[in-house]
Amino acid sequence: MIEKTDMMAAENIQEAVVFSVNPPTIQGLGMSSGLEMQLLDINSRGPAEMSKAIAALQHAASGSKEIASITTLYQGEVPQYRLNIDRDRVKLQGLTMADVYATLGGYMGGSYVNDFTEFGRTFQVTLQGDDNARGNIEDVMKLSVRNARGDMVPFSAFTKIEQVMGQATASRYNTYASAAITANVADGVSSHQGIEAMERLVKETLGNNYAYAWTGEAYQETQSGTTVSMVFVFALILTLLVLAAQYESWTDPVAVVLAMPVAVLGTVLGCMLMGQSISIYTQIGLILVLGLSAKNAILIVEYATYFRKAGRPLRQAALDAGVIRFRPIMMTAIAFIFGVMPMMFATGAGAASRVSLGTAVVFGMVVNAVLGTLFVPNFWEFMRNIQEKYLSKLFKGVD
């Protein structure tokens, strides 16, 4: 993982812009870690103004608590040569612009001619100037183009060379000229907070002069921001329906679901104690913890329901179920916790994701095993009492 010392080591290098990056958290989404944004020149202000806008963003980020740094490879002011071709002179010389561009392209870049077969192999013929012959900009003026009369017309007859400043490469995003920038969030700041901070910085610093678009993992996160909440809601509904069909009861599944917030509490407390943000890996660990929490609660509720149907008093049935299932639940929970605990102390490349996942699972399971297992019998007794005293009278034949 990149530390501040890695960035400081390159501060004294004046010949180049040097910065270090981490690999992307999810392979295939972006070229590096961090929040990837495309800054869009919606008002066609040009490369020079784009460079100033990026510099203003970097300066604003230096005073932000959420953003550690903003890096970019965009170069809007690079020394270049521009060939000013006089089209009127080209026409007077009996030339066409297509011939001029073809000659210039073949000399500076290359031009495919044809293929030929020799010695049982196919070779490609490419027209291109030699390295030494195109190493000086003045060599362009020595080129000649054949006109309609068969005469060779030099470039110097209709071309002038001008030194200008411009962007090294032309990139576009959503039809607009764009610059790719990467925002690295500060320690203890989640990616969601970083996204909100960057959007606020762009709005406050650049106003309506520029727009932005997220790419890579940041784009996926912005698109799935509400999806995660919907997934949890639908998972909860599906759990209730499946358990209702299994127990043939509408109250027993509620006792299982009531134990899940205890696991969520453990995960949140663990992230606070370890200084971890609620990242996508924390959410994955939370889903795993909720599943294990439901499993433990289901075992207790199943035994309590069996004892109640056998004729035991309500409280005694809940107590016996909790006592019988406490030992096996604690054995499996402790074995699982110690098995996942090494992830909390992971080091090396990609350690941040393993630490986030391990923290969520370990603390969630610890709190659920200690508190959740103790509360489930009470939850079941409470819901069963409601069912037997009230619901059974309202809905005759409903268990």
Side-chain angles (χ1 to χ4, degrees):
M1 187 175 180
I2 295 173
E3 303 291 343
K4 292 183 178 180
T5 54
D6 300 326
M7 306 294 290
M8 294 174 61
E11 288 184 351
N12 296 327
I13 301 176
Q14 301 295 328
E15 292 80 5
V17 177
V18 182
F19 56 86
S20 54
V21 295
N22 284 318
T25 308
I26 302 176
Q27 293 186 1
L29 288 181
M31 298 298 293
S32 64
S33 63
L35 307 175
E36 299 183 23
M37 172 187 283
Q38 292 286 340
L39 195 62
L40 309 180
D41 187 6
I42 58 176
N43 293 317
S44 301
R45 299 173 66 90
E49 292 298 322
M50 177 72 82
S51 297
K52 295 179 181 178
I54 295 175
L57 272 180
Q58 291 174 327
H59 178 72
S62 62
S64 173
K65 297 180 180 179
E66 296 88 354
I67 305 300
S69 63
I70 294 178
T71 58
T72 181
L73 295 176
Y74 181 81
Q75 293 178 303
E77 293 182 309
V78 178
Q80 297 176 344
Y81 289 105
R82 175 185 296 168
L83 297 181
N84 293 323
I85 300 177
D86 191 330
R87 295 175 177 266
D88 294 333
R89 291 189 177 184
V90 169
K91 189 174 182 180
L92 289 175
Q93 296 289 344
L95 302 172
T96 62
M97 293 301 301
D99 293 335
V100 173
Y101 289 146
T103 301
L104 186 62
Y107 171 75
M108 299 299 296
S111 178
Y112 169 76
V113 179
N114 60 11
D115 296 330
F116 70 95
T117 302
E118 189 71 26
F119 310 114
R121 298 179 59 185
T122 301
F123 297 88
Q124 187 179 93
V125 179
T126 301
L127 179 65
Q128 188 179 47
D130 187 70
D131 292 345
N132 298 329
R134 49 194 173 96
N136 193 329
I137 186 62
E138 298 296 336
D139 294 336
V140 176
M141 307 302 289
K142 301 176 183 179
L143 295 176
S144 298
V145 186
R146 188 180 301 275
N147 62 12
R149 298 183 296 271
D151 300 329
M152 301 299 294
V153 181
F155 264 62
S156 57
F158 53 80
T159 304
K160 292 183 178 180
I161 299 175
E162 180 183 2
Q163 294 185 6
V164 296
M165 302 292 289
Q167 58 187 120
T169 57
S171 60
R172 305 188 74 84
Y173 192 88
N174 290 344
T175 72
Y176 295 107
S178 65
I181 60 178
T182 302
N184 301 302
V185 298
D187 295 338
V189 177
S190 67
S191 57
H192 178 71
Q193 293 173 321
I195 289 175
E196 292 181 342
M198 276 299 298
E199 292 177 347
R200 184 173 62 254
L201 283 178
V202 172
K203 184 177 181 180
E204 294 176 354
T205 307
L206 306 181
N208 297 325
N209 295 326
Y210 294 89
Y212 63 87
W214 292 107
T215 59
E217 293 181 38
Y219 172 77
Q220 299 297 330
E221 182 170 350
T222 56
Q223 294 299 307
S224 62
T226 56
T227 306
V228 175
S229 302
M230 294 178 61
V231 168
F232 276 107
V233 171
F234 280 109
L236 182 63
I237 295 174
L238 182 62
T239 301
L240 288 172
L241 294 177
V242 172
L243 293 178
Q246 179 180 349
Y247 294 135
E248 297 181 353
S249 171
W250 289 105
T251 55
D252 289 347
V254 177
V256 175
V257 174
L258 288 177
M260 293 183 177
V262 179
V264 177
L265 175 63
T267 298
V268 174
L269 290 177
C271 292
M272 293 174 61
L273 292 175
M274 297 292 291
Q276 296 290 326
S277 60
I278 306 298
S279 63
I280 183 64
Y281 296 99
T282 307
Q283 297 175 16
I284 294 173
L286 182 59
I287 293 174
L288 175 59
V289 171
L290 291 178
L292 295 173
S293 173
K295 176 187 74 69
N296 295 338
I298 287 171
L299 294 175
I300 297 176
V301 170
E302 184 176 359
Y303 271 74
T305 304
Y306 173 78
F307 291 147
R308 181 58 176 165
K309 290 182 178 180
R312 299 187 187 185
L314 191 62
R315 177 157 298 183
Q316 189 64 37
L319 179 61
D320 292 344
V323 171
I324 291 176
R325 299 310 304 171
F326 182 77
R327 181 173 177 269
I329 287 176
M330 291 301 296
M331 290 177 61
T332 55
I334 292 174
F336 181 80
I337 290 169
F338 279 98
V340 179
M341 190 170 291
M343 297 181 65
M344 290 180 55
F345 308 101
T347 58
S353 59
R354 295 195 293 272
V355 172
S356 298
L357 183 59
T359 300
V361 174
V362 170
F363 280 91
M365 281 301 299
V366 168
V367 175
N368 177 72
V370 175
L371 298 180
T373 306
L374 299 178
F375 282 119
V376 169
N378 299 294
F379 292 152
W380 178 84
E381 180 185 356
F382 174 73
M383 295 306 303
R384 192 73 177 186
N385 200 16
I386 294 177
Q387 186 272 322
E388 293 182 358
K389 286 186 176 181
Y390 305 104
L391 297 182
S392 59
K393 296 178 181 180
L394 294 176
F395 304 99
K396 186 177 180 180
V398 177
D399 187 12

